[in-house]
Amino acid sequence: MTPIRVLIADDHPLFREGVAGILDRHDGTSVIAQATSGREAVELAASLAPDLVLLDLSMPDGGIWALEQIKQQDQPPVVAMLTVAEDDDSVFRALKAGADGYILKGVGGRDLVAAVEDLAAGRSYVSPGLAMKVLQALRAAPPKPGHGDPVDALTAREEEILRLVAQGKSNKEVGRALDLQEKTVKHYMTIILQKLQVRNRTEAALIARDRWSQP
């Protein structure tokens, strides 16, 4: 199996090299480059086309700025924040800007590798301690006028897909389970996100788990 090609961007050498060491020791991941600033991360992402980028939030030029620039590339990689910041503003700014994952720096090596593998497979990832915070904020958001529970607006097929996404399955795995092309699943997910009034599959999965885990 081809290793997941990872770009790490962090301005603290000791931490950055420690993360690189963890990922390089794992057969399924390979660190192809390290950046010390947001601008360098953007340039390396464009020239090296990594599978996944790990961005620090508070490095020079800013992690959010780098995230926005990388996501504007023609074929953007998966991007996750790897940071100490767990305040509401930082988490939601990153998700709104297109982050596929949000990992806190207190994560252990094994959990970091698992998060990278999940993200590379097309799944979303938010550190467990933050998932409830994101869900509570979504619950507190006022519904748009004229709309009831947006989950009720899903078709049977859309609900079927969302249930599988909530189980942590990637688009490819959903397609395999339902005998659909991966691009068809992506099309359905775009519609599902619009109906649920959320920005990404992470938020959609949290809503689904909350809805269908209730008795």
Side-chain angles (χ1 to χ4, degrees), residues 44-158:
L44 288 172
S47 62
L48 298 178
D51 299 312
L52 185 143
V53 179
L54 294 175
L55 294 176
D56 181 32
L57 198 65
S58 59
M59 61 184 166
D61 305 318
I64 295 294
W65 177 85
L67 167 65
E68 292 172 338
Q69 299 304 308
I70 292 171
K71 283 299 184 181
Q72 289 176 20
Q73 294 175 2
D74 290 339
Q75 294 183 311
V78 173
V79 183
M81 312 311 291
L82 180 57
T83 176
V84 297
E86 51 185 306
D87 58 285
D88 293 1
D89 183 57
S90 296
V91 176
F92 284 100
R93 280 175 58 218
L95 293 176
K96 187 175 181 179
D100 300 291
Y102 200 98
I103 308 168
L104 293 178
K105 284 187 175 180
V107 68
R110 184 176 300 177
D111 289 338
L112 175 62
V113 170
V116 166
E117 289 179 333
D118 278 351
L119 287 161
R123 306 181 188 96
S124 56
Y125 182 90
V126 174
S127 286
L130 298 177
M132 183 54 67
K133 180 184 292 190
V134 174
L135 179 57
Q136 288 172 342
L138 289 171
R139 285 175 179 165
K144 294 183 179 179
H147 291 271
D149 187 337
V151 177
D152 293 334
L154 300 180
T155 65
R157 175 62 92 184
E158 290 162 357

